[in-house]
Amino acid sequence: MSRMGDVLAGFHAAWEFESDSVLIRYERGIRTPKLFQALGERRVPLEAIAGVTLTRGKRGTVVLRVEPRPGADPLMEAAAGQLKESGDPYRLVLPAEREVLAEYYADELRGLLTESGPADRFLVEPPKGPLSFKAYDGKATFDGRTVSFRWFWTGASSAKWKAGDQNFSVGELNGVEWRSPEVFEGHLRLLRRETGAPAVQADQDPAAVVFGLGYGPVHESLPFAAAVLSAVRTSSPVAAVPAAAARRDPADIAERIRHLGELHQAGLVTDEEFSVKKAELLAEL
């Protein structure tokens, strides 16, 4: 840019133009989309940008947008085109009276872009961990190396209860499938290297958590998915972490055994399955 450190402030965000990147700082106001607040700030290297546009917006505004290169940003890769326009982190909405200034910066940026086409690696940093969120049927956590699903007895299917809580090292994963909670059948599914395409619905898949009203919101589940996807792309396969490796709270184990007994009485779990799973739970004490 002509002057390093120039700042262009718009609604919900301010862009700082530097010699090799654009630093986007998102506001934390009550009107700011929650995804922006969760992201905080993002540094977008110029090599991650494919193009720049400036268009007329609604109600006397203009919209400056940078177009990320395919494969450059794990957040946009995980979103797979499902974000609403208002939730696009690469849009800067400005009052119409700043159109001339916005056009100046758009021209400056265009003159510095040298890359095009898909990127061969992620160029934008993923959201920082550790991360967690509550889905409808369980709690998902990610510490940078392992994704864990801990099922809720009020929402998890019998198939997931039979399988038990799950732990997946990033090395055994091939990718992530995120389906927005704002559409029907939203979920987060982990794609494992050895199993290929999933053959069951997300509510029956121990490698997936399902969303619902108030569960797995975009600002929590999408950064989570992006962080996992980034870790998967930079990892090598390693041995899986056993689901029962960690010690559990005795009260939690007792509650799970009680729920298992309810499934058994309802005929959803066989005698053999009940005995095996109960023994597994007791072994975690």
Side-chain angles (χ1 to χ4, degrees), residues 4 15 30 46 68 123 134 155 165 184 187 254 258 273 278:
M4 183 174 174
W15 289 11
I30 191 172
L46 297 184
L123 300 170
K134 288 184 179 180
D165 292 346
F184 182 65
H187 63 263
R258 185 193 67 77
E273 290 171 335
K278 181 178 179 181

Side-chain angles (χ1 to χ4, degrees), residues 10-14 25-33 36 86 92-93:
F11 299 112
H12 310 316
R25 291 192 174 96
Y26 301 101
E27 294 180 355
R28 295 189 177 277
I30 191 172
R31 296 180 181 274
T32 302
F36 295 179
S86 60
L92 181 66
V93 182

Side-chain angles (χ1 to χ4, degrees), residues 12-29:
H12 310 316
W15 289 11
E16 182 175 341
F17 300 94
E18 302 186 349
S19 59
D20 61 352
S21 62
V22 178
L23 177 61
I24 303 176
R25 291 192 174 96
Y26 301 101
E27 294 180 355
R28 295 189 177 277

Side-chain angles (χ1 to χ4, degrees), residues 70-121:
D73 183 357
L75 188 84
M76 303 306 284
E77 290 298 299
Q82 299 174 77
L83 286 176
K84 294 180 178 179
E85 187 178 76
S86 60
D88 183 350
Y90 285 97
R91 295 173 79 248
L92 181 66
V93 182
L94 304 117
E97 56 265 27
R98 296 187 187 175
E99 182 174 2
V100 174
L101 185 60
E103 183 62 52
Y104 164 76
Y105 284 113
D107 288 340
E108 288 284 298
L109 267 178
R110 293 188 188 105
L112 294 174
L113 301 183
T114 59
E115 303 293 337
S116 62
D120 60 1
R121 58 187 174 85

Side-chain angles (χ1 to χ4, degrees), residues 1 6 9 33 60 62 64 85 93 108 110 114 116 124 134 155 163 169 171 175 179 187 190 211 225 247 266:
M1 305 298 292
D6 283 3
V62 293
L64 179 64
E85 187 178 76
V93 182
E108 288 284 298
R110 293 188 188 105
T114 59
S116 62
V124 182
K134 288 184 179 180
S169 65
R179 293 292 178 265
H187 63 263
L190 305 177
F211 304 148
R247 294 290 177 181

Side-chain angles (χ1 to χ4, degrees), residues 39-188:
L39 294 175
E41 69 176 40
R42 312 193 81 208
R43 184 176 298 278
V44 184
L46 297 184
E47 63 177 326
I49 301 174
V52 186
T53 62
L54 181 66
T55 58
R56 292 292 178 89
K58 300 177 181 178
R59 301 174 183 176
T61 62
V62 293
V63 179
L64 179 64
R65 186 179 190 274
V66 294
E67 178 69 33
R69 294 170 60 196
D73 183 357
L75 188 84
M76 303 306 284
E77 290 298 299
Q82 299 174 77
L83 286 176
K84 294 180 178 179
E85 187 178 76
S86 60
D88 183 350
Y90 285 97
R91 295 173 79 248
L92 181 66
V93 182
L94 304 117
E97 56 265 27
R98 296 187 187 175
E99 182 174 2
V100 174
L101 185 60
E103 183 62 52
Y104 164 76
Y105 284 113
D107 288 340
E108 288 284 298
L109 267 178
R110 293 188 188 105
L112 294 174
L113 301 183
T114 59
E115 303 293 337
S116 62
D120 60 1
R121 58 187 174 85
F122 288 139
L123 300 170
V124 182
E125 289 292 320
K128 301 298 182 182
L131 299 168
S132 67
F133 70 90
K134 288 184 179 180
Y136 174 73
D137 56 357
K139 182 178 181 180
T141 60
F142 179 53
D143 63 5
R145 297 175 299 175
T146 304
V147 182
S148 300
F149 294 156
R150 180 181 176 184
W151 307 123
F152 296 152
W153 71 270
T154 53
S157 64
S158 59
K160 292 183 176 180
W161 271 99
K162 291 178 184 178
D165 292 346
Q166 300 290 301
N167 294 297
F168 303 90
S169 65
V170 295
E172 64 179 301
L173 301 178
N174 192 45
V176 176
E177 178 184 83
W178 182 78
R179 293 292 178 265
S180 175
E182 297 176 345
V183 299
F184 182 65
E185 294 186 342
H187 63 263
L188 172 68

